[in-house]
Amino acid sequence: MNKNLKNLLLTGGTLGAAGVGSGITAGVASLILFNKTLPRPRGTDPEIIDEFADRAKMEEYKVRMAPVGEWMERQAWEHVTLRARDGLRLHALFLAAERPMGKLAIFHHGFTSHAVDNASHAKFFHEQGYEVLLLDLRAHGESEGDYVGFGILDRYDTLEWVRWARARFGKDVKIVLHGTSMGGATVLMALGLPEIQEAVSAVIADCAYTSPADIFSSVIRKDYHLPPAPIIKLTSARAQKAAGYRFDEYSTLDALKNNRVPVLFVHGKEDKFVPTWMSQKNYEACPSKKRLLMVEGAGHGSSVFENQPLYEQTEKAFLADALGE
């Protein structure tokens, strides 16, 4: 989360480990949580970065990924937009396949990220013959929106992009949804929509949480040793009023109950932000063809950087099976 939230929660009263004992403390904590998570992000807090991976590893990842950035700059990206069901203008970057094979990968980034942060995944899929579409999720990058959707709203945006894809490439196009963190939760929640079930061929969900309520509760409990229920309840009410949804109104577990689409679940074993049990629960809840990859030494959202060969080999094998190749 954020140092200000941590300090406020721990000094909001003389309640110690007993937790939130007054409405004032819970209310103030809720206000800070809302302000740090729901409005459009203005950048990434250094403490959030620390949750992803060791800083030395992050610097190593940056050096190794530099050629990917150079590849991005050489490509002829097309800016595409559409309207969400609530009227927001959504933006994405599209790169056509060199030799079209009737396959499209749609990439969903995490909280505070944007389209180009999926460059490594985009390069890999493009080299496998896919058309690639890198989304700016609502309230991120060049997409409109004042409030983050945390998957609950974004699942409907994913449906609009799938409709765009089928209108452009035909209903026989094989669509793969790929998401990391919040993007991972988004692509799993999208599976609860019947039209997605019909149109999508495979899903890859990397370090996805189960619901906004679950991930925020986990952080509050783990980092601040406070009972999360009153804070989550008040913040959900604020989110409902401002953004039109509650943190607990939907989850990946709800979406996966009747899923028929093959899913690859990925999670770094050293993830300090989204607990590994969330991917385990998602995996267990999924009745379709599925696979779970746990990556040694990988922090939050870092599995592809920690062990790129394993990550990509697993994707290849999974997609070959899922797409019947």
Side-chain angles (χ1 to χ4, degrees), residues 182-219:
M182 182 178 75
T186 296
V187 297
L188 292 180
M189 289 184 188
L191 288 171
L193 302 173
E195 193 173 336
I196 291 287
Q197 290 274 326
E198 174 193 345
V200 170
S201 298
V203 166
I204 300 173
D206 189 334
C207 60
Y209 52 75
T210 46
S211 73
D214 285 347
I215 186 58
F216 293 142
S217 293
S218 174
V219 171

Side-chain angles (χ1 to χ4, degrees), residues 34-145:
F34 176 91
N35 287 336
K36 289 297 180 182
T37 57
L38 265 291
R40 170 184 283 271
R42 302 300 178 186
T44 303
D45 190 296
E47 290 195 1
I48 294 178
I49 295 176
D50 286 340
E51 296 280 4
F52 294 172
D54 174 85
R55 286 190 178 230
K57 278 192 174 184
M58 290 293 285
E59 291 304 313
E60 177 190 335
Y61 296 158
K62 287 180 183 178
V63 171
R64 285 198 283 110
M65 291 301 112
V68 178
E70 296 169 1
W71 173 84
M72 285 284 292
E73 293 178 358
R74 294 195 299 269
Q75 307 311 307
W77 294 98
E78 176 187 346
H79 292 264
V80 294
T81 61
L82 55 71
R83 290 288 173 183
R85 67 174 192 163
D86 57 1
L88 294 180
R89 175 184 170 275
L90 303 177
H91 169 266
L93 293 172
F94 172 73
L95 181 62
E98 292 182 3
R99 292 187 297 276
M101 301 171 63
K103 300 186 294 186
L104 168 72
I106 304 179
F107 298 95
H108 301 65
H109 60 73
F111 179 57
T112 77
S113 295
H114 47 98
V116 298
D117 288 333
N118 272 313
S120 180
H121 296 302
K123 182 176 184 294
F124 170 74
F125 272 79
H126 191 253
E127 289 171 349
Q128 307 307 308
Y130 285 76
E131 322 273 356
V132 297
L133 186 69
L134 309 183
L135 306 186
D136 276 329
L137 299 188
R138 61 173 50 221
H140 289 77
E142 295 184 36
S143 287
E144 294 179 343

Side-chain angles (χ1 to χ4, degrees), residues 130-161:
Y130 285 76
E131 322 273 356
V132 297
L133 186 69
L134 309 183
L135 306 186
D136 276 329
L137 299 188
R138 61 173 50 221
H140 289 77
E142 295 184 36
S143 287
E144 294 179 343
D146 295 325
Y147 297 103
V148 178
F150 285 107
I152 293 179
L153 299 182
D154 309 88
R155 58 186 161 139
Y156 296 110
D157 299 340
T158 296
L159 176 59
E160 295 304 325
W161 284 114

